[in-house]
């Protein structure tokens, strides 16, 4: 889907309207239609490109990050072994790779002549030093609050710390280097690979950077991030931009072009990411010329921006918004109560009134574009009277629940958190549930929800790579405090699908896993929707990504108005 400069590949050109069913939904990746621009080379060299973001990054060490705003900055600075083009896995630092028939050995053939920003050459030993560092993390480094993606992909660490709650055994068996080759061995096949090798959290940093932080510790899961993750100067990557400054008080991260980049150099010399949490303020900053682009343009603003000559490309859809039921809180462990809450919510109203055109009600915890999407999952259509009957059946007519939602942020899957909260809260109250609102700032939101503190909360996910495990496995591969349930059938069904090498068999197993998850009903999938991004008229934008993985080295100022 697209508005303005992009059209959907393989579509009939329709760029708007509702998509109420999976059959109607267009997940195509957008294709540029704007032709070659007239580049303003002088402006590229003299004028910083300023992009408005909804939230601050959290960490300059990629392995200690799990949020999109941090990834947006870090992916300009640090490269991964493999990359993503649309949702396809393509070469990155490795110009090619191969796997053994069992999918337990992955050999990467690295590009020649790549150097880190500190001048160190890239080779297989540098890659292995990164993987060995991660595998041997200790203490608080093992907490999902810090290394969420690593433990999701590899299961655990060389020696799991019981205090961090990681109980699964690591599948990482080692990394061996031979010149420009690096071979990573895992204990068994997983459908996460090769896609997981594109994850920004698994970006490769220089060996000197690793040595510089070798003595850093994170004592506990609730410890603050180490100081080196908050300041420029310690970590070096290989990306098209280098870190220059992070001004926390001004909420700005400044990057400067890497003239020794192994690929095509960045067009604009200086790139600034500036946090503007309010979406109206982001639009006003663009219109005032204070910034040159911003993310998550409000659906109501899109047409007005287009009419004003601005560019508003809309990404392909690869996300999911959900309402979580944390079963560590009574009576959410009661399946009948969870059913009642699910029937109470009018998800179509959220799609119609809050989300961009092209959104759809979700029936399961992954978008229909992925193999394994099932037409046979249990569904919970909006029915207030049925919700009341089920609450009475469960003896929960006087139910009171705390409902958490994030403030000072918008997300690709959640363009207006407070508006979505208001709709759901009113629906629950119509069914007889008393809702106690708990707004939480975004910086505290993820740790709070992961710790199981919120009985109900809104959250979502933008896919990292095109495999069902990146959705279902991220949430439901093992017991966790954020969901609070222990259902062996669910965990076993996900493990069976994830470890099945045969593609056709694996797809059927993912359908079974989807059905098991929706029978458990750990939460209510709400919607998938197409997030938009806005740029000034005199900007040649980057290719927009359904994974929100825009490469800002593609950006240029143009001579047009």
């Amino acid at each position: 889907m697209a508005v303005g400069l992009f059209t959907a590949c393989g579509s009939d050109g329709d760029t708007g309207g509702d998509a109420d069913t999976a059959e109607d939904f267009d997940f195509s990746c957008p294709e540029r239609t704007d032709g070659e621009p007239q580049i303003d080379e002088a402006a590229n060299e003299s004028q910083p490109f300023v992009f408005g973001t909804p939230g601050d990054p959290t960490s300059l060490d990629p392995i200690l990050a799990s949020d999109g705003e941090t990834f947006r900055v870090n992916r300009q600075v640090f490269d991964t072994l493999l990359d993503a083009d649309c949702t396809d896995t393509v070469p990155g630092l490795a110009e090619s790779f191969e796997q053994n028939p069992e999918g337990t050995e992955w050999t990467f053939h690295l590009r020649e002549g790549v150097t880190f920003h500190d001048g160190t050459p890239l080779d297989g030993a540098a890659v292995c030093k990164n993987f060995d560092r991660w595998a041997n993390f200790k203490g608080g480094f093992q907490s999902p609050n810090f290394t969420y993606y690593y433990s999701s992909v590899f299961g655990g660490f060389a020696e799991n710390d019981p205090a961090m709650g990681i109980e699964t055994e690591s599948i990482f068996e080692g990394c061996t280097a031979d010149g420009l080759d690096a071979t990573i061995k895992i204990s068994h096949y997983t459908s996460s690979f090769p896609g997981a090798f594109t994850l920004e959290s698994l970006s490769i940093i220089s060996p000197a950077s690793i040595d510089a932080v070798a003595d850093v510790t994170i004592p506990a899961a609730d410890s603050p991030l180490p100081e080196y993750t908050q300041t420029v100067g310690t970590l070096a990557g290989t990306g098209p931009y280098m870190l220059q400054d992070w001004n926390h008080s001004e909420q700005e991260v400044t990057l400067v072009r890497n003239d020794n980049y192994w690929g095509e150099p960045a067009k604009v010399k200086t790139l600034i990411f500036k946090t503007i949490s309010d979406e109206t303020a982001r639009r006003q900053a663009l219109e005032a010329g204070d910034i040159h682009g911003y993310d998550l343009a409000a659906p109501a603003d899109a047409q007005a921006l287009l009419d004003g000559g601005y560019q508003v490309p809309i990404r392909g859809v690869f996300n999911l918004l959900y309402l979580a039921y944390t079963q560590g809180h009574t009576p959410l462990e009661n399946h009948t109560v969870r059913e009642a809450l699910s029937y109470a919510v009018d998800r179509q109203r959220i799609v119609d009134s809050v989300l961009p055109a092209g959104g759809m009600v979700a029936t399961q915890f992954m978008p229909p574009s992925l193999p394994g999407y099932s037409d046979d999952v249990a569904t919970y259509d909006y029915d207030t009277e049925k919700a009341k009957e089920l609450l009475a059946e469960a003896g929960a007519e006087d139910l009171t629940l705390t409902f958490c939602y994030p403030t000072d942020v918008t997300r690709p899957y959640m363009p207006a958190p407070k508006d979505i909260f208001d709709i759901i809260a009113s629906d629950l109250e119509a069914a007889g549930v008393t809702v106690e609102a708990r707004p939480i700032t975004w910086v505290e939101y993820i740790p709070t929800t992961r710790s199981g503190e919120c009985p109900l909360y809104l959250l979502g996910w933008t896919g990292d790579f095109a495999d069902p495990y990146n959705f279902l496995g991220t949430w439901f591969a093992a017991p966790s405090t954020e969901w609070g349930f222990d259902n062996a059938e669910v965990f076993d069904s996900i493990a069976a699908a994830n470890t099945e090498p045969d593609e056709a068999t694996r797809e059927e197993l993912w359908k079974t896993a989807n059905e098991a998850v929706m029978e458990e009903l750990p939460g209510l999938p709400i919607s998938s929707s197409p997030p938009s991004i806005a740029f000034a008229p005199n900007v040649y934008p980057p290719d927009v990504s359904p994974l929100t993985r825009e490469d800002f080295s593609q950006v240029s100022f143009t001579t047009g108005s």
Side-chain angles (χ1 to χ4, degrees), residues 64-121:
L64 302 182
S66 61
D67 67 286
E69 296 311 322
T70 303
F71 293 155
R72 190 199 310 275
V73 174
N74 283 345
R75 76 170 52 94
Q76 318 304 324
V77 178
F78 305 97
D79 291 322
T80 47
L81 289 173
L82 301 178
D83 205 346
D85 180 10
C86 188
T87 56
D88 295 332
T89 299
V90 298
L93 288 175
E95 60 184 359
S96 64
F97 70 95
E98 60 208 32
Q99 67 185 81
N100 66 355
E102 297 76 25
T104 57
E105 291 188 8
W106 297 81
T107 298
F108 298 90
H109 306 290
L110 304 175
R111 299 177 186 275
E112 293 185 10
V114 177
T115 58
F116 292 95
H117 300 154
D118 59 13
T120 307

Side-chain angles (χ1 to χ4, degrees), residues 58 65-68 144-146 148 322 404-406 409 411 413-414 440-454 457-461 481-482:
T58 58
S66 61
D67 67 286
N145 287 341
F146 300 108
Y148 185 77
Y322 59 83
C404 302
Y405 67 93
V409 74
R411 306 303 304 134
Y413 46 79
M414 187 167 47
I440 305 174
T441 60
W442 182 247
V443 70
E444 298 294 335
Y445 194 72
I446 299 301
T448 301
T449 56
R450 282 189 184 154
S451 69
E453 289 185 36
C454 295
Y457 63 88
L458 289 170
L459 203 55
W461 189 258
T481 53
E482 63 187 303

Side-chain angles (χ1 to χ4, degrees), residues 504-527:
T505 303
R506 187 167 66 248
E507 181 171 353
E508 293 305 310
L509 288 172
W510 280 123
K511 290 181 180 180
T512 300
N514 264 309
E515 292 155 17
V517 168
M518 289 310 297
E519 188 61 41
E520 166 63 30
L521 195 59
L524 180 66
I526 295 176
S527 59

